[in-house]
Amino acid sequence: MSVKVGVLILHGIGNQDETYADDFMKALKRSFVRKIASEHHAPETQLEMVPVFWGGVFNEREEDLWTSMNKKISLNYAPLRQFVIRFFGDAIAYQPAPASSSHLNPNYERVHETVAKGLHTLRNKTGDQTPLSVVSHSLGTVIASNYFYDLQFIPDKIPDSIKHLKSDNPLENGETLTSFYTLGTPMPLWTLRYPDFDSPIFVPSPHLKKHYSHVQGEWINFYDQDDVIAFPLKTLNEEYNRSVTKDVEVNTGNLFASWSPLSHLYYFKTDKIIDHISSSLSKLWKTINKVNG
């Protein structure tokens, strides 16, 4: 029996809904299927994807905030103000509590609960030891990084609410984290909260060799030069330089957005990114299933 590849997807800041990843998942699966079609009789069954919708934690409150701010005074630049609330509201609300605090930010905990649920769903689709790839965009890159950082470095401090949502298996414990794809990441801004820009997560997980000894894994960071929210990562410090496999410059967006900061909204629609990830996932699948049989 072949081993499937599992992908967890996290959206970024902004006004999102639960369908945000539908087109991306269809395009990624089509590309993946073409690349392994000669190797399996049902290639479409070998890739399982689960999108995490964490925006629901904040959407209602951000809508209430805008309504209350605009109730009695008609503010100028209304669409831009709503954009600011959606983008920066998510980031501000999510901020983890300082290390010296004895309590987590409840929003941080609630967002991580959605990630735990997503991983549990993925595990039910693929099995306990499926190699895990994470595709994340914008603030979703920070959320994914924080979630796996907690698993790797401070597992004893993970809240009970999250522990109760996950099962004790390699995938949900982050042991099979193989690949991390960060799209339009503002991660360097978050590292300002820590001395020396903090430390990155391990990609692949230090435990991966116990399950798949021949798999190397990768952390690929995609950024557009015109996207003012996105940054390269390898130049941040020596630890990031070692952990991140490659920074890849891409051109995202359509004719009207590709030259502007609006390019930030188009990573999930960029063919170069989809092709790179599907190629990596197909190579991963082939490597694992050659090793296993």
Side-chain angles (χ1 to χ4, degrees):
M1 181 179 292
S2 59
V3 177
K4 297 181 180 182
V5 172
V7 178
L8 194 74
I9 305 167
L10 286 84
H11 66 79
I13 47 185
N15 189 13
Q16 305 283 355
D17 61 34
E18 294 182 76
T19 66
Y20 75 90
D22 286 359
D23 291 342
F24 172 74
M25 290 191 295
K26 290 176 184 176
L28 186 62
K29 176 158 281 193
R30 280 197 304 268
S31 185
F32 175 85
V33 165
R34 286 196 300 268
K35 290 175 170 64
I36 71 161
S38 62
E39 310 291 336
H40 195 277
H41 66 281
E44 69 281 356
T45 67
Q46 298 305 291
L47 176 64
E48 295 287 353
M49 295 173 281
V50 171
V52 173
F53 176 54
W54 56 264
V57 173
F58 304 124
N59 281 355
E60 184 176 347
R61 291 179 63 198
E62 288 170 351
E63 190 61 40
D64 290 344
L65 174 62
W66 170 245
T67 299
S68 64
M69 292 295 98
N70 204 42
K71 187 178 296 182
K72 294 183 179 180
I73 302 174
S74 182
L75 296 169
N76 292 339
Y77 306 109
L80 183 58
R81 288 179 183 273
Q82 286 181 288
F83 177 86
V84 167
I85 287 176
R86 290 293 188 185
F87 268 59
F88 295 101
D90 287 352
I92 293 168
Y94 170 71
Q95 283 297 323
S100 59
S101 172
S102 60
H103 302 284
L104 280 176
N105 173 358
N107 290 327
Y108 181 91
E109 187 171 334
R110 289 175 64 201
V111 167
H112 283 211
E113 287 171 7
T114 68
V115 181
K117 290 176 183 177
L119 281 170
H120 188 71
T121 299
L122 187 62
R123 173 257 185 174
N124 288 340
K125 289 174 175 285
T126 62
D128 290 353
Q129 295 187 332
T130 291
L132 171 65
S133 295
V134 177
V135 180
S136 55
H137 172 236
S138 188
L139 182 58
T141 67
V142 178
I143 292 169
S145 176
N146 284 344
Y147 189 87
F148 288 99
Y149 184 96
D150 292 351
L151 285 176
Q152 291 181 2
F153 294 99
I154 51 171
D156 294 340
K157 294 185 179 180
I158 293 175
D160 289 340
S161 63
I162 294 173
K163 291 179 180 177
H164 291 155
L165 291 170
K166 62 187 288 296
S167 301
D168 185 16
N169 60 76
L171 189 152
E172 292 182 73
N173 289 334
E175 292 182 16
T176 64
L177 176 63
T178 303
S179 306
F180 192 23
Y181 301 102
T182 48
L183 285 53
T185 185
M187 202 178 295
L189 300 179
W190 264 257
T191 66
L192 289 172
R193 303 177 72 247
Y194 307 98
D196 300 321
F197 304 116
D198 199 34
S199 300
I201 61 173
F202 291 111
V203 182
S205 162
H207 302 285
L208 183 66
K209 294 298 182 184
K210 295 190 301 185
H211 308 286
Y212 302 105
S213 60
H214 292 78
V215 172
Q216 298 300 313
E218 64 178 4
W219 179 347
I220 305 296
N221 177 54
F222 297 96
Y223 72 100
D224 188 314
Q225 283 276 15
D226 297 309
D227 176 8
V228 298
I229 296 174
F231 294 89
L233 293 176
K234 286 184 71 66
T235 57
L236 192 56
N237 61 24
E238 279 304 312
E239 290 184 78
Y240 273 89
N241 185 45
R242 287 193 297 268
S243 294
V244 178
T245 309
K246 187 187 301 184
D247 287 312
V248 177
E249 184 180 342
V250 293
N251 184 33
T252 68
N254 56 28
L255 178 64
F256 301 101
S258 63
W259 52 271
S260 74
L262 289 175
S263 59
H264 185 72
L265 304 176
Y266 289 86
Y267 286 87
F268 281 138
K269 300 178 184 295
T270 301
D271 290 341
K272 181 176 179 179
I273 294 173
I274 293 169
D275 184 66
H276 185 112
I277 295 175
S278 68
S279 294
S280 294
L281 294 178
S282 64
K283 290 176 184 176
L284 174 62
W285 182 88
K286 292 174 183 178
T287 298
I288 288 169
N289 286 288
K290 182 178 180 181
V291 168
N292 283 276

